[in-house]
Amino acid sequence: MELLDKLGIDWRLLVAQLVNFLILVLILYKFLYKPLLKMLESRREKIEKGLHDAEQLGVELERTKELQAEEIKKAKFEAREIVEEAGKRAEAAGAETRAQTKVEVEKLISAAKNQIIGEKEKMMSEVKKEAIELVLAVAEKVVGKSMDVKAQKNLIEETLREADKK
Amino acid sequence: MNISLAAETIFHIGSFPVTNTLLVAWVIILFLIIMALVVGRKIREVPKGLQNFVETVVEGALNFMETITGDRKQARQFFPIVFTIFLFVILSNWVEVIPGLGSIGIWEEHHGEMILVPFIRSASADLNVTLAIAIVSVISTQIFGIVALGIWKYGKKFLPFGGLFKIKYGFVPVPSFGGFINFFAGILELVAECAKFVSFSFRLFGNIFAGEVLLTVVSFLVPYIVPLPFLFLEFFVGFVQALVFAMLTLVFLKMAVTEHEHEEHEAHKAH
């Protein structure tokens, strides 16, 4: 007891300090730690949630972008395919039409040619015939008498041959 | 120059001696309570002014405690007691570097001599204060331990009767060597628990009292410039001692709520 006294330990002071300190702990706990820790925790949760949400959003955005890019790529591919197909189809159709037209035109041309040739021949033979008859008539008038039929025929043929040669 | 191991009494209220350390403790407690009320009354999610500072300190301390307990929930549980100890001890330690520490006071006649009784004396330089905090620390350790483990399991740490005898051949109890060793270790633990009162209180008291004496002596010998490095040193010592007190309390708290793994191993082996 004397030792404690020498060290300055007095139970009344000890109890006073003890009570003081406990009051301090209680008051600090009630008015500072409790609300502050609660607030810190809630803020931490909020920040965590915010970060998590942001991350989620980023992922979502990335996915949307990817999806978009894929869609665009697909659309482009399809468009190209469609255009190609259309081109092919148009070409095919054009070729067919052209071929048909050509055939028809050729047909028409050949028909016209045939007609022209036919007309020409008919005309030529008529012209010849008439020319010979004219010549004969002139000759008759010049000679004064008509040739017999055989000579007339021979003459006509000879003349025709010569005319053909020219 | 007068150096007294005990805190000096300034006046009496009835027969109750009001010492200078008690006054200082009151001032510190008042200061902390005012701070708590000012900051705690309007805590906002978006911090402002003083709340920023308090938040930084509190959160830093909490994170630091979490690295020691390894569990945020436990850190929050221990936080009020540990952090209050830290705050109170560091402030009372730093009181010793206040100028006018040993020189402002009243002259009193003591054993026929006139001596100066200073108004200000670091609260930690009084065994009553350090012992009071040590008691708070040790008792709260016991309470946390009992609450966490239950009185039976917690008591087994100190009085492990369980392994003393092993039942052999179905009913014959045979004294077990390991059991006795365990029991002895438990008793030692009990002694160590009691020794904490002494180690806690005297470590802090010794450091701060010595610092106070050092400062008084140095200032007495060379009043100018020379005491400066000692003031810085005492500033540092004050911080370290507060940290040591709080951290030791935290570690003891952590140990108290943790089950004795050693015993569990023993139990598994016995099965």
Side-chain angles (χ1 to χ4, degrees), chain A residues 27-153:
Chain A
I27 289 181
L28 285 190
Y29 176 67
K30 188 147 173 43
F31 290 103
L32 186 64
Y33 302 153
K34 213 168 150 189
L36 192 64
L37 289 183
K38 208 169 128 194
M39 195 276 300
L40 284 178
E41 194 66 22
S42 85
R43 184 157 66 200
R44 210 171 64 117
E45 266 166 24
K46 253 184 206 169
I47 290 173
E48 234 165 49
K49 194 172 164 288
L51 285 178
H52 183 77
D53 282 358
E55 204 175 316
Q56 202 84 341
L57 272 179
V59 168
E60 204 105 311
L61 192 70
E62 202 69 18
R63 226 176 44 201
T64 315
K65 263 187 192 162
E66 252 169 48
L67 221 73
Q68 221 172 15
E70 211 171 290
E71 284 292 309
I72 288 174
K73 215 167 121 192
K74 221 161 84 180
K76 265 187 188 164
F77 185 72
E78 261 170 27
R80 200 184 302 149
E81 232 171 33
I82 287 171
V83 167
E84 248 170 46
E85 180 100 345
K88 253 186 224 163
R89 216 178 279 173
E91 212 167 285
E96 207 179 317
T97 322
R98 259 205 308 276
Q100 225 169 358
T101 317
K102 210 172 165 187
V103 167
E104 254 163 50
V105 166
E106 260 166 24
K107 238 191 231 163
L108 276 176
I109 287 173
S110 70
K113 259 186 189 164
N114 281 349
Q115 213 174 341
I116 287 167
I117 289 173
E119 293 284 318
K120 196 179 160 191
E121 265 175 14
K122 218 163 114 192
M123 222 160 66
M124 278 303 251
S125 66
E126 254 168 50
V127 165
K128 273 176 191 168
K129 220 168 160 184
E130 253 174 54
I132 288 168
E133 267 169 14
L134 208 65
V135 166
L136 279 184
V138 170
E140 226 172 44
K141 283 228 171 104
V142 170
V143 177
K145 63 169 184 171
S146 62
M147 289 179 177
D148 58 32
V149 179
K150 213 175 179 184
Q152 208 174 341
K153 232 181 187 171

Side-chain angles (χ1 to χ4, degrees), chain B residues 43-154:
Chain B
I43 283 179
R44 294 197 202 94
E45 284 263 322
V46 181
K48 206 175 115 190
L50 195 61
Q51 194 193 331
N52 263 320
F53 172 72
V54 174
E55 237 177 55
T56 312
V57 173
V58 165
E59 194 153 38
L62 191 65
N63 285 340
F64 183 55
M65 282 173 64
E66 199 185 334
T67 61
I68 290 174
T69 58
D71 182 357
R72 191 163 184 92
K73 215 179 126 218
Q74 256 175 12
R76 282 172 60 105
Q77 220 174 12
F78 299 154
F79 185 80
I81 196 93
V82 172
F83 194 64
T84 311
I85 287 177
F86 179 75
L87 279 182
F88 183 76
V89 171
I90 198 166
L91 286 181
S92 53
N93 288 355
W94 280 351
V95 164
E96 64 172 335
V97 299
I98 289 177
L101 171 76
S103 49
I104 302 173
I106 40 174
W107 289 96
E108 263 183 13
E109 197 176 320
H110 225 267
H111 301 300
E113 265 182 281
M114 289 297 279
I115 56 164
L116 184 70
V117 176
F119 285 137
I120 306 172
R121 178 183 168 124
S122 169
S124 304
D126 178 1
L127 262 176
N128 290 310
V129 179
T130 58
L131 191 56
I133 304 172
I135 288 170
V136 170
S137 165
V138 175
I139 299 293
S140 61
T141 304
Q142 314 306 322
I143 291 172
F144 269 110
I146 289 169
V147 168
L149 300 181
I151 192 153
W152 187 244
K153 233 175 190 170
Y154 187 71

Side-chain angles (χ1 to χ4, degrees), chain B residues 11-62:
Chain B
F11 59 89
H12 285 84
I13 300 176
S15 68
F16 185 79
V18 177
T19 57
N20 43 14
T21 53
L22 190 60
L23 281 178
V24 167
W26 280 344
V27 170
I28 290 168
I29 287 168
L30 207 66
F31 169 73
L32 284 175
I33 287 175
I34 288 171
M35 285 282 280
L37 290 181
V38 165
V39 175
R41 214 154 34 93
K42 40 177 183 176
I43 283 179
R44 294 197 202 94
E45 284 263 322
V46 181
K48 206 175 115 190
L50 195 61
Q51 194 193 331
N52 263 320
F53 172 72
V54 174
E55 237 177 55
T56 312
V57 173
V58 165
E59 194 153 38
L62 191 65

Side-chain angles (χ1 to χ4, degrees), chain B residues 215-270:
Chain B
L215 287 181
T216 314
V217 171
V218 169
S219 314
F220 177 73
L221 293 176
V222 190
Y224 297 101
I225 313 292
V226 175
L228 256 177
F230 291 99
L231 282 174
F232 282 119
L233 178 74
E234 286 314 310
F235 218 70
F236 180 67
V237 167
F239 170 72
V240 167
Q241 284 307 314
L243 194 67
V244 164
F245 208 117
M247 284 307 110
L248 277 178
T249 303
L250 178 61
V251 170
F252 290 149
L253 280 168
K254 172 70 182 167
M255 276 160 61
V257 298
T258 312
E259 278 185 54
H260 226 311
E261 280 167 32
H262 176 68
E263 262 178 295
E264 288 211 340
H265 278 298
E266 212 73 7
H268 280 302
K269 250 187 261 169

Side-chain angles (χ1 to χ4, degrees), chain B residues 171-232:
Chain B
F171 59 93
V172 188
V174 177
S176 133
F177 182 65
F180 274 99
I181 296 265
N182 259 347
F183 186 74
F184 187 64
I187 297 288
L188 278 186
E189 204 127 327
L190 198 61
V191 172
E193 209 66 30
C194 295
K196 275 185 202 165
F197 289 116
V198 180
S199 66
F200 262 136
S201 56
F202 275 87
R203 184 187 306 111
L204 184 58
F205 169 74
N207 270 286
I208 303 308
F209 180 68
E212 217 159 70
V213 171
L214 176 70
L215 287 181
T216 314
V217 171
V218 169
S219 314
F220 177 73
L221 293 176
V222 190
Y224 297 101
I225 313 292
V226 175
L228 256 177
F230 291 99
L231 282 174
F232 282 119

